[in-house]
Amino acid sequence: MMTALANGTTYRVLYVEDDPQMAATFNRAFGETASITIVTSLEEALFCLDADPSIDLVVYNDRLNSASFLNRIKDKPNSGRFSTILLTGEGSIDLGAEPYHGRVTDVFHYGYSEAAFQTRLSYLILKKQYAEKKQVVESEGGEHKHTKVRMPIGKRIFDITLSFFLLLMISPILLVVAILVKLDSKGPIFYGSKRVGMGYKVFNMYKFRTMRTDADQMLASMASKNMYNVKKAEEPVDQICDECQLVGSCQRPLFLDDKQVCEKVYFRNEKAKAMFSKFKEDPRVTRLGKILRNTSIDELPQFYNILRGDMSFVGNRPLPPYEAEKLTASGYARRFAAPAGLTGLWQVTKRGGAAVSDQERIQLDVLYAKKYSFRTDLMIVIRTLKAVWQKENV
């Protein structure tokens, strides 16, 4: 049974797909959760969005020229009323880059888990329900109550005192670096990156600018220099995973190029391909920027964020909005009950050993939000200083 919104309507999904089988599968899987309209082309999708203002979500197949679609909805005055999920076969998509930035809510790869998509869809429906209930309460003259989270006063006093003292002490260094950044390359002295902190407050996290002003435009032409884009030994696509081997046959088959492959093996290989944009010699970084990054001097302006109350010396990872929104699903939103910090559990766990996985980082963020205290913060600071002294990498 479809979930009704506050105004009595159902959640509306526009699914853009020209493969009848994929469209039928999507409708079968999610047709009981939302009202689904299926179109087969970019032009049909644009027409539906203009004709039907009640569409809440667009699910778009990247194969149907998603870049053109995203660019064409960019200037529409009503483009902010719906969310967009992209279906793709690409190994990695940077949601912070154009044309995805600010327009794509999430990305699912072909062969995605229906349970994972259902979780995302359910969250978007709950988000819409919450927004509509808030409007109803406000229209009736009522007061919508917000649960506010506040930093403990002792932690805040410590942050203000120490950040003010440090800014005062390093002010000559900040002045010299600011002059050098201005002389080194064209552009602003500081770079403000949107981050989400305590209570889901969005703020500008400041750093000294270390990249050229046209860095984003250069990214697309630099794929061949990606240090993660190295050819690795892949599992044979006709191999089956450990789970399937136990039963003697593949339980999750995919059919690619008329050949059956194991879904888990296929996506494990895909995930092993270039997933990050990191370069050994990044030409986007300025000459001075390399020095500032290697010495972490570029992060000194974040003491100003701490003085303002945007961050704390110890806290959770300051996330960009498109990453933060993904964690608002049940169980992970708790991490926003703690402030963003320069260092935290995420930075001192397994240092020097195995890397911390994305899932472990999320769990550490939630754990810190539940249990942070002066004693915990002191322990993290000591471990951070010890690690810096030993010159170990984060």
Side-chain angles (χ1 to χ4, degrees):
M1 182 178 180
M2 280 187 259
T3 306
L5 300 176
N7 59 8
T9 63
T10 55
Y11 194 80
R12 302 290 304 278
V13 177
L14 178 64
Y15 183 58
V16 188
E17 174 59 69
D18 63 354
D19 185 322
Q21 185 175 352
M22 290 182 67
T25 300
F26 186 89
N27 192 52
R28 173 190 54 77
F30 309 110
E32 294 186 2
T33 304
S35 175
I36 300 173
T37 301
I38 300 174
V39 297
T40 60
S41 68
L42 179 151
E43 295 300 332
E44 285 184 274
L46 294 173
F47 176 80
C48 283
L49 289 172
D50 288 334
D52 188 355
S54 64
I55 290 174
D56 301 298
L57 171 67
V58 176
V59 181
Y60 201 97
N61 194 321
D62 190 28
R63 177 168 43 79
L64 302 177
N65 196 357
S66 64
S68 178
F69 171 75
L70 294 171
N71 285 324
R72 290 179 66 174
I73 65 171
K74 177 175 61 175
D75 300 322
K76 288 183 177 291
N78 56 0
S79 62
R81 74 172 189 261
F82 57 86
S83 303
T84 302
I85 291 179
L86 201 63
L87 304 180
T88 183
E90 296 293 327
S92 176
I93 288 183
D94 181 5
L95 293 185
E98 292 295 335
Y100 312 107
H101 180 61
R103 291 185 282 281
V104 175
T105 305
D106 208 344
V107 174
F108 282 80
H109 292 84
Y110 299 150
Y112 58 85
S113 163
E114 290 184 2
F117 195 96
Q118 181 68 60
T119 299
R120 190 63 171 144
L121 182 59
S122 297
Y123 161 71
L124 292 172
I125 292 174
L126 288 172
K127 183 179 178 182
K128 181 72 179 290
Q129 286 178 320
Y130 175 81
E132 292 192 349
K133 286 178 181 177
K134 178 181 176 183
Q135 290 177 350
V136 170
V137 171
E138 292 177 347
S139 66
E140 293 176 351
E143 183 179 351
H144 188 80
K145 296 182 180 180
H146 294 271
T147 301
K148 292 186 177 181
V149 289
R150 296 181 182 277
M151 197 182 302
I153 188 168
K155 185 178 178 71
R156 183 71 190 117
I157 291 174
F158 174 81
D159 285 341
I160 293 174
T161 304
L162 185 57
S163 60
F164 180 79
F165 174 75
L166 290 174
L167 284 170
L168 191 64
M169 293 295 293
I170 65 174
S171 56
I173 298 176
L174 297 177
L175 180 61
V176 170
V177 173
I179 294 173
L180 291 176
V181 170
K182 198 65 179 176
L183 294 175
D184 183 58
S185 60
K186 294 180 180 179
I189 295 172
F190 299 102
Y191 172 73
S193 178
K194 293 292 183 185
R195 290 292 187 269
V196 177
M198 192 173 194
Y200 213 85
K201 175 188 174 184
V202 180
F203 65 94
N204 279 319
M205 186 177 74
Y206 294 105
K207 292 185 178 184
F208 282 116
R209 181 177 58 82
T210 59
M211 282 190 171
R212 293 170 41 167
T213 53
D214 59 348
D216 290 339
Q217 287 80 359
M218 293 179 66
L219 188 61
S221 63
M222 294 168 56
S224 61
K225 299 180 181 179
N226 190 340
M227 67 183 290
Y228 289 107
N229 201 16
V230 178
K231 185 72 175 179
K232 295 183 180 180
E234 297 183 0
E235 301 173 74
V237 292
D238 56 353
Q239 178 181 320
I240 59 176
C241 66
D242 295 338
E243 294 177 13
C244 297
Q245 287 177 5
L246 291 175
V247 295
S249 62
C250 186
Q251 303 299 299
R252 301 175 65 179
L254 284 179
F255 294 91
L256 301 174
D257 298 324
D258 297 323
K259 186 176 182 180
Q260 178 178 318
V261 299
C262 179
E263 180 183 13
K264 291 192 70 174
V265 171
Y266 173 76
F267 285 107
R268 199 153 56 209
N269 284 335
E270 288 296 305
K271 191 174 181 180
K273 294 178 181 179
M275 295 179 63
F276 308 99
S277 293
K278 190 170 183 178
F279 308 89
K280 291 181 179 179
E281 293 296 332
D282 193 338
R284 299 174 300 167
V285 180
T286 63
R287 293 168 297 179
L288 178 64
K290 293 178 183 178
I291 300 173
L292 298 182
R293 287 187 171 194
N294 290 336
T295 57
S296 295
I297 291 177
D298 64 316
E299 297 185 5
L300 291 180
Q302 290 172 31
F303 289 148
Y304 175 65
N305 284 119
I306 295 174
L307 183 64
R308 282 169 46 94
D310 299 327
M311 298 173 60
S312 177
F313 278 99
V314 181
N316 284 333
R317 297 168 297 139
L319 298 177
Y322 59 88
E323 286 187 22
E325 198 209 355
K326 294 181 181 180
L327 300 184
T328 52
S330 176
Y332 296 142
R334 180 66 180 269
R335 57 102 57 213
F336 297 107
L342 287 180
T343 186
L345 280 176
W346 52 278
Q347 211 171 9
V348 299
T349 300
K350 293 187 180 180
R351 186 186 296 271
V356 180
S357 69
D358 290 342
Q359 189 66 26
E360 286 175 317
R361 288 182 179 183
I362 296 171
Q363 293 169 351
L364 287 171
D365 287 348
V366 173
L367 178 63
Y368 177 79
K370 289 180 178 179
K371 298 186 176 182
Y372 74 92
S373 63
F374 178 76
R375 181 178 177 181
T376 303
D377 286 1
L378 185 61
M379 178 270 293
I380 292 172
V381 169
I382 292 173
R383 290 176 64 180
T384 301
L385 293 175
K386 181 182 177 181
V388 171
W389 176 260
Q390 294 173 345
K391 297 183 179 180
E392 292 184 18
N393 292 324
V394 176

